[in-house]
Amino acid sequence: MTLIASIMDPLGRAARAARAPLAAATTEQKNAALKSAATEIRKRRAQLLEANAQDMLAAQEKALSGAMLDRLKLDDQRIESMARGLEDIAALPDPIGAVAAEWSRPNGLRISRVRVPLGVVGIIYESRPNVTADAGALCLKSGNPVILRGGSESTASSKAIHDCLLAGLRAAKLPEAAIQLVPTADRDAVGYMLAQMAGVIDVVVPRGGKGLVQRVQQEARVPVIGHLEGLCHVYVDRAADPDMAREIVLNAKLRRTGICGAAETLLVDAGAEAALLAPLVTALLEAGCEVRGDAAAMATDPRVKAATEADWRTEYLDAIIAVRVVDGVDAAIEHIAKYGSAHTDSIVTNDAATAQRFLSEVDSAIVLHNASTQFADGGEFGMGAEIGISTDRFHARGPVGVEQLTSYKYIVRGAGQIRAA
């Protein structure tokens, strides 16, 4: 047996053993575990900050990008946000056992479709230590044992957060194997999860950069829920309010540049070019954003750099945006269909008919009207938190929360019915 197998196989066996008791856990038990974990996160704030400082120092020594460092960093506000996220998930309705539909047949059979856990979930993620809390909590609430494999950059932070989750499980008398953290940063652990644990893990969720997601999708022998990248667009229509457009564009690009919901391309209606293009480009530049544009965008300011074909396909995750003038909503929809990643796209307009065309015809997981793409977040959707944004077209699409981590089964009640020959 290899070293990796000796580490991973016991995790798999423990997760499978936890399936039945976790599926049978009461809503009160699960909520108690989440609330206790939230209390522990607040109580251990100093320890979490100390662990994160270790990770940040190591990341800086490795010269990780600014976006990666931002994802990795914990502060008082983010720690409190994690704790509140656990409490928000506790406050959500329990999806397990919920009846999605029920009906009766002429022969007297009563049929119901009932939500059940997916099974053992494997989550592979990079940098963001808060995923440890979010993913562990969502899987717990949805009755799924989870094996978490965090990035090597966040080893100390993730372990400190995981300790809080374990304390919550113990307080609620639930199996600690319900939420397990892979205790090694060896990259071979990821390959082992994907190729050797198909008999244990029922679904894998990758959360990280394009390289990680591609690897998971290529190597996994179980279903995958994920997205490759967030090539998000904001289209400013000729009927947009200038002040609203400015606020939305700046927020969509710059609130947090390293998240998958950050806007990467700004499309401006040719009918609004004279009134809106220059003010938007200037606002972005003055806010510290690099602008790469087409000829029209370059003509507004000498600081605008020439965009290449690659820029329309690039997820910068940085203070960089590509800007293009398009001939109305049809051209905007066409551009998004050609270059987008079906993640999140927004239109800014006061024309209801134009907005409806955009909302109906842009085939992305999340489409917004007069709102920032940075709302692409399960917490902002009232889902407590999310494991990620799925761009798949089956099972789960958009924010993956507790309901998306369930499947269903049919329960049929009879009174002695038999089927005729």
Side-chain angles (χ1 to χ4, degrees):
M1 178 181 290
T2 66
L3 175 60
I4 291 298
S6 69
I7 294 171
M8 301 302 295
D9 287 348
L11 297 180
R13 289 193 295 270
R16 295 304 276 190
R19 284 186 65 178
L22 190 54
T26 66
T27 301
E28 291 72 23
Q29 275 183 294
K30 292 186 286 188
N31 290 347
L34 293 170
K35 292 175 183 177
S36 294
T39 298
E40 290 297 322
I41 284 175
R42 293 189 177 102
K43 185 187 301 182
R44 303 186 193 191
R45 180 184 62 83
Q47 294 98 307
L48 293 177
L49 290 173
E50 182 179 349
N52 186 246
Q54 296 175 30
D55 288 334
M56 289 293 291
L57 179 60
Q60 289 164 355
E61 290 174 349
K62 293 178 183 177
L64 295 187
S65 69
M68 292 285 280
L69 292 174
D70 176 65
R71 292 180 176 191
L72 178 60
K73 183 180 179 180
L74 290 179
D75 54 26
D76 288 342
Q77 183 179 352
R78 292 185 181 182
I79 289 172
E80 175 58 26
S81 179
M82 273 196 296
R84 285 201 310 271
L86 297 184
E87 293 168 340
D88 289 344
I89 294 169
L92 294 173
D94 191 339
I96 303 305
V99 178
E102 54 186 341
W103 61 95
S104 296
R105 298 292 297 147
N107 61 6
L109 290 177
R110 291 177 296 135
I111 304 171
S112 55
R113 187 166 65 243
V114 180
R115 290 202 172 276
V116 297
L118 281 176
V120 176
V121 179
I123 300 181
I124 303 168
Y125 54 102
E126 297 173 335
S127 300
R128 294 181 186 168
N130 66 291
V131 176
T132 305
D134 292 348
L138 289 168
C139 287
L140 175 62
K141 186 65 181 260
S142 55
N144 298 294
V146 62
I147 299 174
L148 302 166
R149 202 290 185 176
S152 58
E153 305 89 355
S154 60
T155 298
S157 305
S158 293
K159 183 181 184 306
I161 295 167
H162 182 243
D163 288 343
C164 297
L165 298 175
L166 292 181
L169 291 170
R170 288 192 293 268
K173 295 182 170 52
L174 289 173
E176 293 185 29
I179 305 174
Q180 298 183 88
L181 183 68
V182 175
T184 177
D186 193 326
R187 291 175 61 87
D188 288 344
V190 173
Y192 196 88
M193 286 180 71
L194 299 175
Q196 304 299 324
M197 298 182 74
V200 174
I201 295 175
D202 296 290
V203 62
V204 172
V205 182
R207 182 164 179 178
K210 185 175 181 178
L212 169 67
V213 179
Q214 280 183 324
R215 180 187 178 188
V216 171
Q217 292 179 333
Q218 290 167 1
E219 297 182 20
R221 297 184 180 177
V222 296
V224 176
I225 301 174
H227 72 272
L228 278 178
E229 54 195 341
L231 284 171
C232 304
H233 300 75
V234 175
Y235 166 60
V236 178
D237 181 63
R238 67 190 67 188
D241 175 87
D243 292 335
M244 179 190 292
R246 180 182 182 280
E247 293 302 312
I248 288 175
V249 168
L250 290 176
N251 184 267
K253 175 69 258 184
L254 297 172
R255 173 187 164 270
R256 287 188 68 186
T257 59
I259 65 173
C260 60
E264 305 293 10
T265 299
L266 168 63
L267 303 174
V268 178
D269 186 354
E273 181 180 343
L276 291 175
L277 180 62
L280 289 173
V281 168
T282 299
L284 286 162
L285 289 167
E286 291 181 351
C289 184
E290 178 181 320
V291 176
R292 301 177 185 179
D294 63 3
M298 292 177 66
T300 66
D301 194 295
R303 293 172 291 177
V304 177
K305 299 179 180 179
T308 66
E309 179 69 12
D311 284 306
W312 313 122
R313 303 182 187 276
T314 299
E315 183 185 29
Y316 301 109
L317 299 175
D318 202 349
I320 306 170
I321 194 168
V323 179
R324 185 177 217 172
V325 172
V326 294
D327 188 15
V329 67
D330 288 337
I333 293 169
E334 182 180 346
H335 178 102
I336 292 168
K338 181 177 181 179
Y339 296 105
S341 60
H343 191 291
T344 301
D345 299 292
S346 177
I347 180 173
V348 184
T349 185
N350 287 332
D351 186 310
T354 300
Q356 188 55 49
R357 289 231 10 239
F358 188 91
L359 297 173
S360 299
E361 296 182 27
V362 172
D363 187 21
S364 295
I366 302 171
V367 191
L368 306 103
H369 173 210
N370 287 347
S372 169
T373 58
Q374 299 248 348
F375 282 109
D377 178 274
E380 294 296 328
F381 278 34
M383 300 165 68
E386 36 105 324
I387 290 177
I389 306 292
S390 171
T391 54
D392 292 338
R393 285 174 168 78
F394 60 92
H395 181 69
R397 196 178 191 200
V400 179
V402 290
E403 184 177 326
Q404 290 72 33
L405 289 171
T406 65
S407 183
Y408 53 82
K409 66 181 179 183
Y410 290 92
I411 294 177
V412 183
R413 293 180 174 87
Q417 290 93 333
I418 60 173
R419 188 168 179 178

